Amino acid sequence: MLNSLRHFKLIFWDFDGVIKDSVDVKTDAYLALFPEAPKNILEKIKSHHLEYGGISRLEKIPIYLDWVGIKPTNQVVSEYLDQFANLVVQKVISSPWVPGVEQMLKQKQNQQKFVIVTGTPQTEIEEILVQLKINSIFDRIFGAPTQKSKAIKWALQNYKIKMEDSLLIGDSKTDWFAAEETGIQFLLRETENSDFFSQYSGNKIKDFIGFI
């Protein structure tokens, strides 16, 4: 069982659910966008969001608009994206840290590279990391619309680090798929949010307490 991150030269970090316990913030925000939607549609939105945690709102909001019967034109999608950002940014910043993660980030070794790969839009994740005062810990920050697998391939190539020396820490099926596609190792941070966890038998943790 994996109990140390020190021997990995390149570590990819998802954000929501891995660094900050902010998945519920995003769930609540999606539901708040559609206050008139029937309960069954809201449940469908919630289930989809939790099942595909690593997918960007750029992909999700057009789908959810369609489900509630609103035509997802570019202008409408843009308006809903703005609403969503207004709902979540400060709440994400003030949400709890995943236990032990702050110490884990500060224990970064000199030879290690840390890279953020998240479905949060690029400018938004950059702003959040600055406000949390952890932006300088990361060598690169990849937000939406960059796909996680493309970000991983870029880093492997540009940092010239082998796949077996690299790890992705994520909390969703989407993260696991990205690790599988790029051939790197995967560490699952378990939350209460998906049936995926009961099916996954690889390396997993509930938090970073006791990790070295």
Side-chain angles (χ1 to χ4, degrees):
M1 189 67 185
L2 191 63
N3 60 3
S4 174
L5 301 182
R6 289 186 177 178
H7 63 282
F8 290 102
K9 295 178 182 175
L10 176 56
I11 299 177
F12 298 94
W13 298 79
D14 179 37
F15 184 80
D16 293 303
V18 171
I19 292 175
K20 280 281 194 160
D21 254 330
S22 45
V23 173
D24 287 345
V25 169
K26 302 286 177 79
T27 307
D28 293 344
Y30 280 118
L31 301 181
L33 288 177
F34 309 109
E36 306 299 320
K39 188 176 179 182
N40 65 315
I41 298 295
L42 292 174
E43 284 297 325
K44 187 178 177 184
I45 289 170
K46 181 178 180 179
S47 296
H48 181 273
H49 164 60
L50 294 176
E51 187 69 20
Y52 297 97
I55 292 178
S56 166
R57 73 190 69 163
L58 305 178
E59 295 179 53
K60 287 179 175 175
I61 283 179
I63 294 170
Y64 302 161
L65 284 166
D66 194 47
W67 288 353
V68 300
I70 300 171
K71 191 173 181 183
T73 63
N74 288 342
Q75 183 180 344
V76 169
V77 170
S78 179
E79 288 169 2
Y80 274 82
L81 285 168
D82 287 345
Q83 282 184 53
F84 189 92
N86 290 335
L87 286 166
V88 301
V89 173
Q90 285 307 318
K91 287 185 178 178
V92 167
I93 290 165
S94 59
S95 62
W97 294 91
V98 171
V101 77
E102 286 179 279
Q103 186 180 5
M104 199 73 257
L105 291 171
K106 289 169 185 170
Q107 286 178 351
K108 179 185 178 187
Q109 308 289 298
N110 288 335
Q111 77 279 8
Q112 284 183 313
K113 301 282 188 189
F114 281 6
V115 176
I116 286 278
V117 284
T118 176
T120 301
Q122 186 73 35
T123 52
E124 190 176 305
I125 189 60
E126 288 172 1
E127 176 193 342
I128 288 168
L129 294 175
V130 167
Q131 290 206 37
L132 292 172
K133 297 183 170 60
I134 57 171
N135 55 306
S136 60
I137 292 171
F138 298 99
D139 298 272
R140 280 296 294 246
I141 298 162
F142 289 100
T146 305
Q147 291 181 336
K148 295 191 182 196
S149 57
K150 288 186 178 177
I152 293 167
K153 287 172 184 174
W154 182 93
L156 289 169
Q157 186 174 352
N158 282 269
Y159 295 138
K160 297 180 170 53
I161 293 173
K162 295 176 182 176
M163 292 182 291
E164 56 265 33
D165 295 325
S166 306
L167 174 76
L168 169 60
I169 308 173
D171 70 327
S172 71
K173 188 187 291 184
T174 313
D175 298 323
W176 180 58
F177 284 161
E180 288 282 293
E181 186 181 334
T182 52
I184 67 173
Q185 292 192 58
F186 181 63
L187 175 62
L188 175 69
R189 194 260 157 158
E190 289 185 271
T191 66
E192 304 298 317
N193 289 319
S194 172
D195 294 338
F196 170 59
F197 305 127
S198 59
Q199 305 158 17
Y200 180 75
S201 58
N203 285 313
K204 50 188 171 183
I205 54 168
K206 292 201 180 295
D207 56 46
F208 295 93
I209 294 171
F211 246 62
I212 56 172

